[in-house]
Amino acid sequence: MIPELGQVLLLLALAVALIQGVLPLAGAQRGRADWMALARPSAYLQCLLVLAAFACLTSAFVRHDFSVLYVASNSNSLLPLPYRIAAVWGGHEGSLLLWVLMLNVWTVAVARFSRSLPNVFVARILAVLGLVAAGFLLFMLVTSNPFDRLLPAAADGRDLNPLLQDPGMVAHPPMLYMGYVGFSVAYAFAIAALIGGNLDATWARWTRPWTTAAWIFLTFGIGLGSWWAYNELGWGGWWFWDPVENASFMPWLVGTALIHSLAVTEKRGSFKVWTVLLAIMAFSLSLLGTFLVRSGVLSSVHAFATDPRRGLFILIFLVLVIGASLLLFSWRAPSVGLGQRFGLLSKETSLLVNNMLLAVACGAVLLGTLYPLFLDAMGMGKISVGPPYFDTVFTLIMAPLLMLMGIGPLMRWKEDELSGLARRLRWALVLAIGAALLTSWAAGRIAPATTGALALAYWIIASMGVDLLERLRPRGGMSGGVVGRMRLLPRAMVGMWIAHLGVALFAFGVAMVKTYETERDVKMTADASTEVAGYRFRMVSVSDVQGPNYVAAQALIEVSRDGQLLATLRPEKRIYKVQSNPMTEAAVDSNLLRDLYISMGERLDNGDWIVRVQHKPFINWIWLGCLVMMGGGLLATSDRRYRSRQTRSAELPAGMAGEGTR
């Protein structure tokens, strides 16, 4: 009866979502306080219903209820408990239920932490989120019911996709969905503001922390997915421009632009139209990613390529959401106004260029992802747009963006002087170029492109140092020591510095690993050895091991340097008992300076193994950069301006008003 209970709970959740989406919206238009008051209770009730349905599905997995079609398709009696729980979102139906649950969590958070906002505004926001939830609940119940019965029940399940039986996949989808769905909050704020016609600085201040929070989760989800692909797939890379990877990267790029655009709208009242459009685009790209992953149009290692009916449903929903949003936008945008004027050399201009570069980058990824699908659909042949296209285009776009990242924070609002700006940044530029040359020389080879990339990473850090020094320098009557002055810096500003530092670390890691990595495919047998980047790898033995639901050939490989043993690694070649898929389980010896990465290939007729040995310098700086970016975002969302009803910038001493002075 538990699956039937889950089914009923989802039906009730749909009914509540429709009430939440219709009555508060109508109440806000007609001035009915009693209808608007339904928004919060509906949000709480809907979340409870979906959470209970999610618990029902989880229970079916834990209890091995193979009379449920989704459980029988994605689990097995030999599957360990952690992966049985992860299997809840390991397939299309369950991941969609997780999607809706995450949307409900965000909705409850808005209902709980927006009590200081006007009731009319909150009612509209919760109504928009209710309508989005209703669309996805309807999609799930009509085309993707996770509680469909299988009669008669299967004796055992088909097992979870072996690729997903990894710790990274336990946390990766929930974090990714929290980011995806989080942009629905920024979207709801934008639609509510368009309906009410109150697109102003206050609206931007309300929207910023929610947008940043969604961006934090999406950054974590993407970084975790990259780390999982690196470790689990045995490819040894960190990003492959896989269409599904691109589907999550596009909303991240637009979300990053939205965060910067909101800052301008809040501080200067400019970019209002553009900011609203970015909010609509970010959520639309999240829906587009959902469509690409679930429609069956993509072929990927982790796409839910299934029933085309599902793709059609999402496509219709996507067209309705985007179409209605753009119609509302076209109706309201002319009355919004352009905000304050600004000069060609100003912080506003730098942020506008920043936005344009991020939008162009998103367009380039979208083009590279959809172009092969378009040609295939038109019967013009199959082509593949791979890393060479993305690497080339992205390098051309990111280089000026990283350069601007060092200049923009030091510019003043409204108008600045080129000579003064150049004078303030000259030593940062010299330091960045010198450090890049020194790093390339120390790495053993000065490659122009890599040295340029390293110079950009150092440039961000050096210019950030200049900004920090200027703000801590005693001036304008500001008293107290350095520590005291640092404590007065707005958290939003410090968060921005930390996030930019994360970007610099990320760029440094990419530049180093792309240029100085070493890879070798060798034949190895017991007591054979090979040398890569000065490290000696000796295969000691290969033995059979038994896992809970697989058998594996496990190699024992010793790694040494200059005669000193550094690590003992155990890569595996697994065969899962149910799906019989051969899987590579790489072994990695990791530290901040390098990874030693070993994966096993095929076994030859003479008993030798093909082994891939890789040395990847500074690759962990890529994921460290993601974590630092998240830390910056987290600090920025904790800024006291977002926790108080009114702006307190007037309390800051002269010279420390942070973003408001520049």
Side-chain angles (χ1 to χ4, degrees):
M1 291 299 291
I2 290 180
E4 282 70 27
L5 175 62
Q7 176 84 51
V8 171
L9 290 168
L10 288 181
L11 287 168
L12 290 173
L14 174 60
V16 174
L18 289 171
I19 292 172
Q20 179 189 329
V22 174
L23 287 181
L25 198 60
Q29 292 303 109
R30 302 181 62 175
R32 292 284 301 268
D34 53 342
W35 291 5
M36 288 190 286
L38 289 172
R40 283 196 171 89
S42 301
Y44 296 141
L45 179 58
Q46 188 195 158
C47 186
L48 281 176
L49 291 169
V50 174
L51 183 62
F54 191 85
C56 288
L57 187 60
T58 306
S59 167
F61 271 95
V62 172
R63 294 183 302 106
H64 298 304
D65 186 353
F66 298 124
S67 70
V68 177
L69 177 60
Y70 180 67
V71 177
S73 302
N74 293 278
S75 184
N76 183 268
S77 55
L78 297 176
L79 193 64
L81 180 60
Y83 295 136
R84 260 183 280 156
I85 295 173
V88 174
W89 53 83
H92 166 73
E93 291 84 353
S95 70
L96 194 60
L97 180 57
L98 178 67
W99 212 103
V100 176
L101 179 61
M102 294 299 177
L103 178 59
N104 277 269
V105 170
W106 278 106
T107 306
V108 165
V110 172
R112 174 69 181 82
F113 296 109
S114 297
R115 294 190 178 278
S116 61
L117 306 187
N119 287 334
V120 173
F121 190 55
V122 175
R124 286 180 175 136
I125 293 169
L126 294 179
V128 172
L129 291 171
L131 290 174
V132 173
F136 274 94
L137 283 165
L138 191 62
F139 172 44
M140 186 161 41
L141 288 166
V142 172
T143 71
S144 315
N145 188 352
F147 296 107
D148 276 347
R149 285 287 194 180
L150 181 64
L151 297 175
D156 208 336
R158 293 182 55 232
D159 205 2
L160 179 65
N161 183 346
L163 278 172
L164 307 182
Q165 296 181 36
D166 181 84
M169 284 306 291
V170 175
H172 167 52
M175 294 300 104
L176 198 66
Y177 288 4
M178 279 295 282
Y180 263 154
V181 182
F183 284 127
S184 66
V185 177
Y187 168 78
F189 271 72
I191 296 299
L194 280 174
I195 294 173
N198 53 348
L199 279 165
D200 51 19
T202 307
W203 163 76
R205 189 177 308 121
W206 291 338
T207 309
R208 277 184 79 179
W210 295 103
T211 306
T212 306
W215 180 86
I216 291 169
F217 280 113
L218 190 55
T219 303
F220 188 45
I222 292 174
L224 202 56
S226 164
W227 177 83
W228 163 77
Y230 169 73
N231 282 280
E232 179 62 14
L233 297 183
W235 295 344
W238 56 274
W239 195 261
F240 292 93
W241 300 106
D242 178 275
V244 176
E245 291 178 329
N246 294 347
S248 63
F249 191 38
M250 288 185 284
W252 186 89
L253 289 167
V254 174
T256 305
L258 176 60
I259 289 173
H260 290 85
S261 188
L262 280 167
V264 183
T265 303
E266 181 189 353
K267 296 295 179 187
R268 302 290 298 166
S270 303
F271 293 11
K272 285 185 283 191
V273 174
W274 174 241
T275 302
V276 170
L277 191 58
L278 283 176
I280 295 173
M281 284 174 59
F283 182 58
S284 300
L285 286 167
S286 295
L287 291 181
L288 178 65
T290 306
F291 164 71
L292 291 175
V293 173
R294 298 166 191 280
S295 61
V297 300
L298 289 182
S299 176
S300 165
V301 293
H302 44 330
F304 297 107
T306 53
D307 188 352
R309 288 184 309 128
R310 297 169 177 170
L312 181 62
F313 191 107
I314 300 178
L315 190 60
I316 293 172
F317 185 56
L318 180 64
V319 170
L320 284 176
V321 169
I322 297 178
S325 303
L326 293 181
L327 275 176
L328 180 63
F329 175 78
S330 61
W331 175 41
R332 287 292 195 183
S335 62
V336 171
L338 299 176
Q340 300 186 42
R341 300 175 67 87
F342 52 87
L344 184 61
L345 188 68
S346 63
K347 189 187 286 284
E348 289 95 328
T349 302
S350 74
L351 288 168
L352 181 61
V353 176
N354 157 294
N355 270 220
M356 292 171 62
L357 289 171
L358 286 167
V360 170
C362 178
V365 177
L366 186 66
L367 179 66
T369 304
L370 295 185
Y371 183 58
L373 301 177
F374 176 76
L375 288 185
D376 189 23
M378 298 296 290
M380 300 172 70
K382 292 181 179 294
I383 66 166
S384 174
V385 177
Y389 161 80
F390 290 109
D391 288 347
T392 303
V393 172
F394 235 70
T395 301
L396 294 175
I397 298 172
M398 287 297 114
L401 186 65
L402 295 180
M403 192 71 194
L404 195 62
M405 200 179 294
I407 302 172
L410 281 98
M411 283 186 175
R412 299 184 186 282
W413 293 108
K414 198 173 180 180
E415 188 77 53
D416 207 337
E417 294 180 359
L418 181 60
S419 58
L421 193 62
R423 186 171 60 253
R424 291 159 61 201
L425 284 169
R426 64 187 186 284
W427 290 115
L429 183 63
V430 171
L431 184 64
I433 294 173
L437 287 169
L438 187 62
T439 304
S440 295
W441 173 78
R445 178 160 53 97
I446 298 179
T450 304
T451 306
L454 293 174
L456 288 170
Y458 286 127
W459 161 250
I460 294 171
I461 297 172
S463 59
M464 200 165 61
V466 172
D467 197 9
L468 178 62
L469 287 174
E470 289 186 354
R471 291 182 184 277
L472 295 182
R473 187 180 304 155
R475 60 192 172 100
M478 186 168 58
S479 59
V482 172
V483 175
R485 291 193 289 274
M486 285 187 69
R487 292 177 63 182
L488 290 174
L489 289 171
R491 289 189 184 183
M493 174 178 294
V494 180
M496 175 200 69
W497 284 334
I498 293 175
H500 285 190
L501 174 63
V503 174
L505 296 178
F506 181 91
F508 180 87
V510 171
M512 292 299 287
V513 75
K514 280 276 189 183
T515 305
Y516 301 110
E517 66 180 343
T518 309
E519 174 182 315
R520 180 173 296 173
D521 291 330
V522 294
K523 295 178 186 176
M524 296 188 81
T525 186
D527 212 32
S529 62
T530 187
E531 188 166 316
V532 172
Y535 295 90
R536 188 168 188 79
F537 299 80
R538 187 176 77 89
M539 179 178 279
V540 179
S541 63
V542 179
S543 57
D544 294 333
V545 296
Q546 182 80 34
N549 57 344
Y550 63 85
V551 294
Q554 184 186 75
L556 177 63
I557 297 178
E558 291 181 347
V559 185
S560 59
R561 184 166 193 168
D562 299 328
Q564 181 181 358
L565 181 65
L566 298 179
T568 301
L569 300 177
R570 291 181 170 82
E572 293 181 358
K573 192 73 175 181
R574 293 180 179 176
I575 300 290
Y576 283 81
K577 295 177 181 175
V578 178
Q579 298 197 7
S580 301
N581 290 338
M583 289 291 302
T584 297
E585 194 70 18
V588 187
D589 182 58
S590 184
N591 62 40
L592 272 180
L593 299 181
R594 54 95 183 118
D595 270 10
L596 301 174
Y597 188 107
I598 303 176
S599 58
M600 296 179 69
E602 298 302 317
R603 184 176 187 177
L604 303 178
D605 293 338
N606 63 359
D608 290 355
W609 285 87
I610 300 294
V611 178
R612 174 166 294 179
V613 183
Q614 300 175 79
H615 169 256
K616 294 185 169 292
F618 296 97
I619 191 168
N620 288 300
W621 288 48
I622 292 171
W623 299 298
L624 176 65
C626 292
L627 291 175
V628 174
M629 279 186 245
M630 288 170 51
L634 200 60
L635 190 63
T637 55
S638 69
D639 193 293
R640 60 181 176 175
R641 288 175 303 165
Y642 308 131
R643 289 180 285 115
S644 59
R645 289 171 182 263
Q646 296 182 356
T647 305
R648 298 180 180 176
S649 58
E651 296 177 8
L652 299 177
M656 290 297 297
E659 293 171 312
T661 61
R662 284 180 178 167

